[in-house]
């Protein structure tokens, strides 16, 4: 039986109504497949207005009854693609919008960020491992009992808990040792000096072009040293006051906090920066505490009531895998 929904609309006039009634009745009693077996379908389609027919057909219902796999199997895809103008097709496509909607830029950015972060963390772990061995050697020389040294400021003790068994040992919040602090300071001095030198050279180049004379190159030595000292103060104090770490400390994976582990205040950052030169006076005696002190604090840390801890930012600070497994075996 044929669904009444798809019966042809009545035609105008008596003949059309009679033909429609006869056709409906014939479809009710005759199997359409038998009729199609005796009809030249191609000849029939040649005499039918296909466009008008499609307008009167529910295509969704038709497609639900079509075996798409069998249909596609009968299509010559190579011949079909050969007739497609790909260049014209791409001209009509907003490829930039397609890429944005696909999320490819975000995936690439996230993958690049993770790769860079992972590579940097490998170096940071090696520095943290070296600091561990230096601290262990100092504790052995000074005959300090195992477990007698504080590992982190009071507010960061919970953060500094070890990882689960079998994982790398986490050291987030632990006091930073001499290796990491020295490396971070060396990087900071290199960056600050390069910026100072580049700014001076650029200023000299501009004055030569505009006024045909040099300014920075003609300054007396004491004034150049004073300007450099002022720039170093701005660099270290600005970084600590704004971010709690300098660029070098961020690269190594360190952070400056208050002695109790809370966020460093601008006043403490100011005192710490002003007293930093005192730590290097008298052959660096003010830095001895970084190596042998219980909290690894230098003279300027004591003056500024601050401490330097290990902090990789948004990722956990960890020791290298072999060292973590060694410590785990020692504790068994």
């Amino acid at each position: 039986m044929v669904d009444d929904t798809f019966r042809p609309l009545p035609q105008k006039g008596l003949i059309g109504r009679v033909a429609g009634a006869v056709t409906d009745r014939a479809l009710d009693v005759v199997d359409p497949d038998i009729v199609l077996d005796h009809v030249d379908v191609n000849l029939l389609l040649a005499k039918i207005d296909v466009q008008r027919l499609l307008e009167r057909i529910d295509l969704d219902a038709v497609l639900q009854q079509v075996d798409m796999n069998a249909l596609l199997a009968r299509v010559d895809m190579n011949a079909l693609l050969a007739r497609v103008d790909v260049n014209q097709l791409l001209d009509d496509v907003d490829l930039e919008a397609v890429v944005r909607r696909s999320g490819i830029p975000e995936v690439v950015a996230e993958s690049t960020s993770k790769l860079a972060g992972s590579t940097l963390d490998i170096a940071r772990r090696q520095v943290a491992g070296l600091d561990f061995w230096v601290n262990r050697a100092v504790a052995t020389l000074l005959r300090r009992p195992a477990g007698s040294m504080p590992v982190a400021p009071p507010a960061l003790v919970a953060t500094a808990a070890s990882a689960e068994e079998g994982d790398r040992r986490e050291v987030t919040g632990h006091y930073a040792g001499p290796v990491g602090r020295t490396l971070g300071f060396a990087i900071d001095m290199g960056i600050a000096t390069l910026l100072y030198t580049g700014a001076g050279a650029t200023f000299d180049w501009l004055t030569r072009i505009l006024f045909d004379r040099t300014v920075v190159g003609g300054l007396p030595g004491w004034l150049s040293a004073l300007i450099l000292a002022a720039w170093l103060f701005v660099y270290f104090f600005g970084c600590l006051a704004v971010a709690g770490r300098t660029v070098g400390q961020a690269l190594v994976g360190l952070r400056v906090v208050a002695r109790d582990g809370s966020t460093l205040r601008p006043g403490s950052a100011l005192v710490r920066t002003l007293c930093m030169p005192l730590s290097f006076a008298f052959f660096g005696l003010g830095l001895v505490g970084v190596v042998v002190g219980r909290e690894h604090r230098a003279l300027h840390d004591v003056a500024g009531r601050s401490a330097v801890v290990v902090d990789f930012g948004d990722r956990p600070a960890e020791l290298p895998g072999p060292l973590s497994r060694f410590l785990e075996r020692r504790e068994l």
Side-chain angles (χ1 to χ4, degrees), residues 10-24:
Q11 303 295 318
K12 292 182 178 180
L14 178 60
I15 296 177
R17 289 196 296 272
V18 172
V22 172
T23 302
D24 288 346

Side-chain angles (χ1 to χ4, degrees), residues 25-47:
R25 183 58 183 167
L27 290 174
D28 287 339
V29 298
V30 178
D31 187 350
D33 291 333
I34 297 177
V35 176
L36 290 175
D37 289 341
H38 296 80
V39 174
D40 187 342
V41 178
N42 294 325
L43 180 61
L44 179 63
L45 290 175
K47 295 183 177 183

Side-chain angles (χ1 to χ4, degrees), residues 10 51 71 82 107 159 212 267-268 281 312 329:
Q51 186 62 36
L71 179 62
V107 172
T159 307
D212 194 23
S268 296
F312 288 6
R329 290 194 300 269

Side-chain angles (χ1 to χ4, degrees), residues 76-97:
D76 186 347
M77 299 301 297
N78 294 327
L80 178 63
L81 293 175
R83 301 181 62 181
V84 176
D85 188 344
V86 178
N87 293 327
Q88 183 177 358
L89 179 63
L90 292 177
D91 288 341
D92 297 334
V93 177
D94 188 347
L95 292 178
E96 184 176 351

Side-chain angles (χ1 to χ4, degrees), residues 181 240 256-276 278-279 297-308:
R181 294 191 59 168
L240 293 179
V256 183
V257 297
R259 186 181 182 184
D260 61 357
S262 60
T263 302
L264 185 70
R265 296 183 178 182
S268 296
L270 176 62
V271 175
R272 185 181 191 277
T273 305
L274 289 174
C275 293
M276 186 178 293
L278 299 178
S279 295
R297 300 168 71 210
L299 178 61
H300 54 280
D301 290 315
V302 176
R305 298 180 180 179
S306 63
V308 182

Side-chain angles (χ1 to χ4, degrees), residues 200-218:
T202 302
F203 187 77
D204 259 353
W205 176 73
L206 290 174
T207 56
R208 277 199 306 270
I209 292 178
L210 299 176
F211 306 107
D212 194 23
R213 57 178 299 181
T214 61
V215 176
V216 178

Side-chain angles (χ1 to χ4, degrees), residues 209-291:
I209 292 178
L210 299 176
F211 306 107
D212 194 23
R213 57 178 299 181
T214 61
V215 176
V216 178
L219 293 177
W222 66 269
L223 185 56
S224 296
L226 183 62
I227 295 175
L228 176 60
W231 159 243
L232 291 176
F233 168 79
V234 171
Y235 173 83
F236 283 97
F237 170 69
C239 290
L240 293 179
V242 173
R245 67 179 87 196
T246 61
V247 177
Q249 290 171 338
L251 290 175
V252 176
L254 307 179
R255 181 164 63 98
V256 183
V257 297
R259 186 181 182 184
D260 61 357
S262 60
T263 302
L264 185 70
R265 296 183 178 182
S268 296
L270 176 62
V271 175
R272 185 181 191 277
T273 305
L274 289 174
C275 293
M276 186 178 293
L278 299 178
S279 295
F280 293 88
F282 304 107
F283 305 101
L285 289 178
L287 301 173
V288 174
V290 176
V291 180

